[in-house]
Amino acid sequence: MIRGFAEKTIACLSWALALSLCLSVTVLLSYLLIKGLPSLGTELVFGKADPLNVLLGRERVFDGIFPAAVGTLSLVFLSTLIALPLGICSGIYLSEYATPGMKKAVGGLFDVLAGIPSIVVGLYGFSVSIFLHHHFSERLGPCLLISALSLGVLVLPYIVRSSQSALEELPAHIRCTATALGATRLQNLVYVLLPNALSGIGSGVILAIGRCAEDTAVILLTGVVATAGLPSSLFAQYEALPFYIYYISNQYTNPAELSNGYGACLVLLGICSVLFMVARGMQKRLFHWALYSR
Amino acid sequence: MMVSKDVFAESVFLCCAISSAIIILAILGFMVALGIPLFQEIPLSDILNGPWAPHHGAYGIRAMIFGTFLIAFLATLICLPLSLGMSFVISSLGGRRSRRLLGAIVRFMTGIPTVIYGFVGIFLLVPLIREGFGGPGMGVLTASIVLAILISPTMILFFTDSLLAVNAAYVQAAKALGATRVQRLLYVMLPGALSGMASGFILALGRAVGDTLIALMLAGNAVRTPQGLLEPARTLTAHIALVKAADFDSMAFRSIFACGITLYLFTILATIMVRVMTRERIAIS
Amino acid sequence: MPKQKKEKIILDRVDFFYGRRQVLCGIKAAFYSNTLTAITGPSGQGKSTLLGLLNGMWNEVPNTHCSGDIQILLGGQWISPLRKEISLSHLRRKVAMIFQEPNPLPMSIGRNMAFPLKLSGIRDKRLVEEKVRTALEQAFLWEEVKDRLEDSALNLSGGQKQRLCIARALILEPEILLCDEPTSSLDAKAARIIEALLVSLKNHCTLLVVSHYLDQVRRIGDRVMILENEGLTNGAGLSA
């Protein structure tokens, strides 16, 4: 019964491989926790400066991750602001108004965008800043705004895809209800379709936010630096958590800095995990119930 | 009044869709425009095939192309058995609780930032490789291993979805005929899932090709064609990240646009392949 | 002359719960060798559930619970499909099942037929061909497909697909054949062929046929049982 033996081997092998993958992830996380937990605290975030003073703007933080955290948050906020309207409207157009030919063509372009390496998107942002630098003003260069624009482009496919599929997956009878009562296309969209598709769209937004928070390649080319303090303006350079981690791994000079690096990893992991779980919760329509149970 | 509101809304949506499309095409456009001086001065074959020696006027990215595809293919090859095993267990071989737990672990992995994989890789894996295999520690093998773990959730989720999408009636038929779980998996689910799994493979490969940080942090970044798995290498993505600090107008600098174009073209190729395969699957069913 | 009636399947005080809902209550019944028992009753009362208990289809489904005793005489021995230790694959080779929707696998007719043999490890080509032919003849399908065993099974008509599924179930020579509404998805003419086929199979195995067509039940059943209000009672109107 060679066949029976082969089948059993495949089953055992599959389990072994699955468990070894789980093991490596567990090792990774435990290592991080062991090395990083000791350094979690206000000193990690604010360094030697007084937390209250920092929050009131009176003191600068030099050896904490506060500026990087603020930089990341500003980045996420700005890029979502840029990508959200553009993405949702494109998704609405593709699912509700586009001809099949257009769906294929534009959908194909978005597939390409989704597959483009993030560093290429960063290169694009960098090229744009060079262009502006040469043709408009010497003071323009890689900065917070350019990074936000590039990140917006990077996460655009997530938002477009999730909006498009959330709307397309709505059952047929929901579409007919309002129109049978005399609603126009726009009214149907705004009052019926969008509220019902909200959880799907929302989860795409959250995933996009997570992507902005963790991305390093784009910001490497578009304005992130190791020490810039809090972002002073949209056209200034800034710090960010992922870059801080990368910088520490390369250039740490003493164990305290390395320990900060581990702590920063935990903070970033914590932020991304929370965002991820929120996205899952949205997918399971928990938020939908919250919106509707008035 | 209502009618013009409708028309207005539609045009707004259309504009958004078109602007997005234009942005995507502009990416390629900008890179070509900025890379043109390089292509004008140096023949294409030299760029693609020549060595990298900026002080001697050689701007070939061959070593980087080789590095990218070596690391990416090796990572995908390491990832393949891991993903097959995991997807087999999640879709069929595991009990209800193990399926849920493993599925949750895989989905959680998609949320782990890349830089963290790199960071742990530097301080945990590199010393291990150095002690176990010799060499500098940072090289093709280290980067491929970590990259394999990074891209595995993509492959696993694709494989699992394809396996579970096989028509339930077929699985039920096999079950009633006395097929064990493994037999159902191998003889009914797997054949039906192959084209979906192929798409997953290509997408994971695409992710491996496009990743910057793992190669940047773990592959050593030496600009040579690696002769062995323990030697350092540089990928196209890492090259872009490293060279951007060079002088704005130098040819060395412009070579990163050549890298960018190569990566962009590869992405288009991979996207087309996946689309063709999914269309085939829809045609068959 | 009264036939020698040997018991083949015995159910004693069987209860079945799906979650907290009780689907079967105190089922007591005996089924005899080489007979065709038709089971009918109002829909949703658990006829398919009852069949599924006999070939272990519920063993892997979570949130279900079955109590009581089921004994089946297979290969001269009494075994119970409810016990955890029995091998489900072996059980299902001897207790075969046909479904309401014919479900041929997406392969050629020949490979569909050979599939159960492959699962049991029977690979000798000549033996396989022989068994395939025998089973297709028993299922009244051989003449129609003998020249096109390479064709896809999905291209057959509904009635042919169901006969293929029956043939495929017969190839391992089961002792019991469970049929869950075997003709519900077929037109009247195809249904008649299946009915004749099922009756002819009494020589080879014991049949339990679930159906909600009263006239069919009267036509084919040696005995009719009605499943209602969760119990199983003998129905009137036995055919000779």
Side-chain angles (χ1 to χ4, degrees):
Chain A
M1 300 297 280
I2 306 176
R3 176 158 277 157
F5 181 70
E7 289 168 3
K8 280 221 175 75
T9 320
I10 291 184
C12 290
L13 208 56
S14 303
W15 273 103
L17 289 165
L19 289 173
S20 52
L21 189 62
C22 293
L23 190 65
S24 38
V25 176
T26 318
V27 164
L28 188 148
L29 290 175
S30 338
Y31 181 78
L32 215 52
L33 278 171
I34 294 175
K35 291 268 180 177
L37 269 178
S39 70
L40 284 183
T42 48
E43 215 185 291
L44 173 69
V45 182
F46 295 106
K48 297 193 181 59
D50 181 71
L52 198 56
N53 279 344
V54 172
L55 288 172
L56 292 173
R58 281 190 237 144
E59 237 188 290
R60 268 193 67 162
V61 175
F62 285 103
D63 44 0
I65 63 173
F66 184 69
V70 172
T72 292
L73 286 171
S74 337
L75 208 54
V76 167
F77 176 69
L78 280 171
S79 45
T80 315
L81 203 62
I82 294 168
L84 204 57
L86 197 61
I88 294 187
C89 292
S90 304
I92 292 177
Y93 184 78
L94 282 178
S95 98
E96 302 297 310
Y97 297 91
T99 61
M102 229 196 150
K103 260 197 222 193
K104 247 204 225 166
V106 180
L109 279 177
F110 277 114
D111 280 348
V112 170
L113 182 58
I116 288 182
S118 47
I119 194 110
V120 174
V121 178
L123 195 54
Y124 171 62
F126 187 55
S127 329
V128 170
S129 64
I130 295 181
F131 180 76
L132 293 173
H133 182 88
H134 278 169
H135 293 250
F136 284 92
S137 156
E138 283 280 314
R139 285 182 301 130
L140 286 176
C143 60
L144 188 61
L145 183 62
I146 300 277
S147 285
L149 286 168
S150 313
L151 277 178
V153 170
L154 183 74
V155 298
L156 200 57
Y158 289 91
I159 301 182
V160 171
R161 262 205 213 138
S162 63
S163 316
Q164 188 186 350
S165 52
L167 284 167
E168 280 175 351
E169 279 167 16
L170 289 176
H173 63 262
I174 289 189
R175 289 177 178 276
C176 303
T177 314
T179 41
L181 293 166
T184 64
R185 212 166 177 182
L186 184 61
Q187 286 176 320
N188 192 17
L189 183 69
V190 169
Y191 295 129
V192 179
L193 299 182
L194 280 179
N196 275 291
L198 214 51
S199 58
I201 298 178
S203 77
V205 172
I206 301 286
L207 283 172
I209 291 181
R211 190 79 181 79
C212 293
E214 70 124 344
D215 178 84
T216 323
V218 172
I219 59 180
L220 262 180
L221 268 69
T222 49
V224 75
V225 289
T227 41
L230 296 178
S232 50
S233 84
L234 281 180
F235 299 101
Q237 297 182 318
Y238 61 97
E239 290 180 43
L241 269 177
F243 182 72
Y244 179 85
I245 296 172
Y246 167 64
Y247 185 76
I248 293 276
S249 76
N250 239 343
Q251 318 264 7
Y252 70 99
T253 51
N254 57 53
E257 280 190 357
L258 184 58
S259 182
N260 268 5
Y262 284 113
C265 280
L266 280 180
V267 172
L268 185 60
L269 189 60
I271 294 177
C272 290
S273 310
V274 167
L275 288 172
F276 177 74
M277 281 192 277
V278 171
R280 285 289 293 172
M282 279 193 156
Q283 271 181 336
K284 300 197 170 183
R285 315 202 97 214
L286 295 169
F287 280 55
H288 177 95
W289 291 348
L291 282 173
Y292 270 60
S293 55
R294 259 175 245 139
Chain B
M1 213 57 235
M2 286 302 185
V3 176
S4 61
K5 243 204 217 172
D6 247 16
V7 169
F8 177 71
E10 183 173 343
S11 25
V12 165
F13 298 145
L14 177 61
C15 278
C16 291
I18 293 196
S19 347
S20 313
I22 290 181
I23 291 176
I24 302 170
L25 294 169
I27 295 182
L28 185 59
F30 262 89
M31 282 194 300
V32 171
L34 283 161
I36 277 187
L38 180 70
F39 294 119
Q40 280 172 336
E41 222 183 81
I42 302 177
L44 191 63
S45 59
D46 271 354
I47 296 179
L48 287 178
N49 227 352
W52 173 261
H55 300 297
H56 302 281
Y59 302 105
I61 55 174
R62 182 186 62 185
M64 275 70 84
I65 294 181
F66 190 79
T68 294
F69 285 102
L70 178 62
I71 293 180
F73 270 107
L74 187 58
T76 320
L77 271 151
I78 296 176
C79 180
L80 186 61
L82 288 171
S83 309
L84 279 174
M86 183 69 101
S87 62
F88 283 176
V89 174
I90 294 183
S91 68
S92 159
L93 299 175
R96 200 164 52 124
R97 253 187 293 171
S98 7
R99 285 195 211 182
R100 265 213 218 142
L101 182 62
L102 290 176
I105 292 180
V106 172
R107 276 188 298 263
F108 177 71
M109 279 173 78
T110 61
I112 300 181
T114 316
V115 69
I116 289 185
Y117 280 109
F119 196 82
V120 174
I122 289 185
F123 295 109
L124 192 55
L125 189 60
V126 169
L128 277 177
I129 300 258
R130 206 183 296 144
E131 276 171 53
F133 295 97
M138 289 202 186
V140 173
L141 184 64
T142 321
S144 303
I145 293 177
V146 178
L147 193 52
I149 299 181
L150 177 74
I151 63 176
S152 59
T154 307
M155 231 195 241
I156 293 173
L157 289 173
F158 251 89
F159 283 5
T160 312
D161 283 346
S162 310
L163 284 168
L164 290 174
V166 170
N167 197 337
Y170 301 151
V171 182
Q172 188 186 47
K175 191 172 167 192
L177 291 168
T180 60
R181 269 204 195 154
V182 185
Q183 287 175 326
R184 278 179 248 160
L185 175 69
L186 291 177
Y187 303 129
V188 181
M189 290 167 86
L190 194 55
L194 278 179
S195 67
M197 289 168 82
S199 310
F201 184 83
I202 293 186
L203 281 168
L205 180 63
R207 259 206 84 178
V209 165
D211 187 77
T212 311
L213 276 178
I214 303 292
L216 190 60
M217 292 166 97
L218 296 172
N221 293 319
V223 191
R224 306 170 4 225
T225 313
Q227 302 300 321
L229 291 180
L230 293 172
E231 289 194 17
R234 186 185 286 201
T235 59
L236 291 165
T237 45
H239 185 70
I240 295 178
L242 289 165
V243 173
K244 74 123 176 150
D247 179 21
F248 261 20
D249 281 318
S250 66
M251 284 301 155
F253 179 74
R254 293 194 184 273
S255 69
I256 64 177
F257 295 103
C259 294
I261 295 173
T262 314
L263 288 166
Y264 194 97
L265 290 174
F266 177 79
T267 309
I268 295 184
L269 183 66
T271 310
I272 293 178
M273 280 181 76
V274 170
R275 279 214 143 189
V276 165
M277 267 190 250
T278 1
R279 217 184 306 145
E280 260 177 29
R281 178 164 45 139
I282 296 177
I284 288 177
S285 63
Chain C
M1 199 161 63
K3 268 214 191 120
Q4 192 52 300
K5 275 195 177 170
K6 270 176 60 182
E7 287 173 339
K8 188 76 174 171
I9 306 174
I10 300 180
L11 285 86
D12 189 26
R13 281 168 303 164
V14 172
D15 297 321
F16 184 82
F17 296 85
Y18 194 84
R20 262 181 296 169
R21 187 166 75 99
Q22 182 162 24
V23 180
L24 298 172
C25 177
I27 304 286
K28 266 176 108 122
F31 301 94
Y32 302 101
S33 302
N34 296 101
T35 62
L36 194 161
T37 310
I39 303 176
T40 187
S43 55
Q45 298 282 326
K47 306 192 287 293
S48 308
T49 311
L50 181 61
L51 281 194
L53 282 175
L54 298 175
N55 73 342
M57 285 306 235
W58 292 106
N59 289 34
E60 289 168 357
V61 179
N63 214 16
T64 59
H65 175 64
C66 182
S67 64
D69 191 30
I70 301 180
Q71 297 287 337
I72 305 181
L73 182 64
L74 290 177
Q77 285 203 323
W78 286 99
I79 65 166
S80 167
L82 298 178
R83 309 267 320 250
K84 299 275 180 200
E85 313 86 58
I86 64 159
S87 158
L88 286 176
S89 347
H90 283 120
L91 176 67
R92 289 172 188 156
R93 286 171 201 159
K94 288 298 155 195
V95 182
M97 185 178 248
I98 312 291
F99 299 92
Q100 177 176 338
E101 277 296 329
N103 51 8
L105 294 166
M107 312 167 177
S108 67
I109 297 174
R111 289 183 74 189
N112 255 285
M113 289 302 298
F115 189 70
L117 297 174
K118 177 163 113 163
L119 294 178
S120 323
I122 299 174
R123 282 187 297 167
D124 176 37
K125 267 190 91 169
R126 219 167 342 132
L127 186 59
V128 167
E129 276 173 19
E130 210 182 285
K131 285 185 179 277
V132 167
R133 181 178 172 144
T134 313
L136 284 171
E137 282 173 343
Q138 284 175 349
F140 298 175
L141 193 57
W142 174 249
E143 289 300 317
E144 289 170 54
V145 300
K146 66 181 179 193
D147 296 323
R148 44 180 184 135
L149 289 175
E150 317 281 304
D151 283 358
S152 166
L154 300 177
N155 292 334
L156 295 171
S157 75
Q160 287 173 323
K161 276 185 192 160
Q162 191 65 299
R163 277 180 278 152
L164 177 65
C165 291
I166 295 178
R168 187 180 62 188
L170 290 175
I171 203 164
L172 285 174
E173 293 158 52
E175 294 181 37
I176 297 174
L177 188 61
L178 306 169
C179 305
D180 191 356
E181 313 247 11
T183 62
S184 297
S185 66
L186 305 175
D187 61 83
K189 182 165 168 217
R192 293 287 193 153
I193 302 179
I194 303 282
E195 285 177 19
L197 167 57
L198 291 177
V199 172
S200 77
L201 289 175
K202 279 194 293 191
N203 298 325
H204 302 286
C205 53
T206 308
L207 293 111
L208 269 71
V209 178
V210 162
S211 169
H212 58 257
Y213 296 113
L214 284 181
D215 51 333
Q216 176 180 81
V217 147
R218 285 206 188 96
R219 268 197 301 271
I220 63 176
D222 296 328
R223 213 156 118 245
V224 177
M225 295 189 134
I226 303 181
L227 188 63
E228 57 185 350
N229 291 332
E230 300 140 18
L232 194 62
T233 59
N234 267 336
L238 299 168
S239 53

